[in-house]
Amino acid sequence: MSLPDLDLQIIYARIAWGLIAASMLLSVLPTLLPKLFPQLAWRHKAIVTTTVAAMMLLPGEASPAYWLTLVFQYPSGLLTGYSLVALLARWRERPVVFPLHPVFALLLTVTGVVLYLDAFGVLALGLYYRGFDSTAATVLTCVAALAGAAAILFRYAGTAGMALLTSVLLFSLLRLPSGNLWDALLDPLLWAWALGSVILEAMRRRAARKAAQLQAVDDAEPELVHAAASIERVQYK
């Protein structure tokens, strides 16, 4: 087990929270302030990114990163990777989809539930502490790296793949954020995001099923009317 230096963790926290804050602001500003930001120009993006970076670099308790880390701990490498990918997409004028990929979101949700139940002693599997084990962490890191590379290669979930590779690199090279593999792959904010994505996907599929059922009824109505008319003609005869 090898832990990252405290100074490296502090630097990581400032950079990671800066990426998360900047990507979130660039996503919500056109919605919250449509009159001021109907469309984010290059200068708006530069101002937002520079302001967030300057605030995160403030010393000690003056930095928002200090308080965010105090409340939420260090953000996972996976959440940082997602924020970096989203921020780059905003700068390149590419669309950013809020919900996570359904399969990936479901996997993160289930993993989070198991880990949290294990942490609370409900399952007592000791999974979190195995994230410090060099052998188990190496195996899981290789699996995660292969999954991320496959997602990018086959264009199945490219954003998730790039974010996953980012988290794996941060953990493999620098042991960030905490030296535990699970902290590199999941955190409470990311888990809440994944759970919300699963709920949205379930609602979307339910709405699609209802729409299909209504369409089937609409398609069957002319046939039912024609059949009823035929029956009435036969009765009158």
Side-chain angles (χ1 to χ4, degrees):
M1 179 181 68
S2 59
L3 301 177
D5 294 334
L6 180 60
D7 292 340
L8 188 60
Q9 287 181 309
I10 294 174
I11 294 172
Y12 166 78
R14 292 175 181 245
I15 295 175
W17 285 121
L19 290 172
I20 294 168
S23 63
M24 290 181 63
L25 282 174
L26 291 181
S27 298
V28 302
L29 279 178
T31 303
L32 296 179
L33 302 172
K35 294 183 179 179
L36 292 178
F37 302 99
Q39 185 175 1
L40 288 176
W42 183 88
R43 66 178 182 278
H44 297 145
K45 299 173 186 177
I47 291 172
V48 170
T49 306
T50 304
T51 303
V52 169
M55 292 180 64
M56 293 300 173
L57 290 176
L58 292 174
E61 298 181 5
S63 173
Y66 173 86
W67 300 103
L68 288 170
T69 303
L70 197 63
V71 175
F72 299 106
Q73 301 299 318
Y74 295 108
S76 65
L78 188 55
L79 181 59
T80 304
Y82 263 115
S83 301
L84 176 61
V85 173
L87 189 60
L88 291 175
R90 293 289 180 190
W91 273 91
R92 299 170 67 181
E93 300 294 341
R94 292 187 175 181
V96 178
V97 181
F98 170 74
L100 299 177
H101 190 278
V103 176
F104 199 58
L106 182 60
L107 178 61
L108 288 176
T109 301
V110 174
T111 302
V113 169
V114 174
L115 283 173
Y116 292 142
L117 290 177
D118 181 44
F120 294 149
V122 177
L123 297 179
L125 300 175
L127 291 177
Y128 179 79
Y129 297 102
R130 292 186 182 182
F132 288 112
D133 182 78
S134 58
T135 302
T138 300
V139 173
L140 288 176
T141 300
C142 292
V143 172
L146 290 174
I152 296 173
L153 181 62
F154 296 106
R155 297 182 180 180
Y156 180 68
T159 301
M162 288 185 285
L164 189 56
L165 286 180
T166 301
S167 66
V168 168
L169 286 174
L170 285 171
F171 178 77
S172 301
L173 300 178
L174 303 174
R175 311 299 294 178
L176 291 171
S178 67
N180 188 300
L181 178 60
W182 294 118
D183 290 333
L185 298 178
L186 195 63
D187 62 74
L189 291 178
L190 180 59
W191 182 80
W193 185 13
L195 178 61
S197 299
V198 170
I199 294 174
L200 288 176
E201 179 64 16
M203 294 172 62
R204 186 191 67 80
R205 296 198 176 199
R206 182 180 179 183
R209 284 196 300 268
K210 286 186 176 181
Q213 292 173 354
L214 291 174
Q215 184 63 40
V217 172
D218 292 339
D219 293 340
E221 269 188 13
E223 297 180 2
L224 293 174
V225 172
H226 179 71
S230 300
I231 293 173
E232 288 183 1
R233 287 196 296 269
V234 170
Q235 288 179 343
Y236 281 116
K237 288 182 179 178

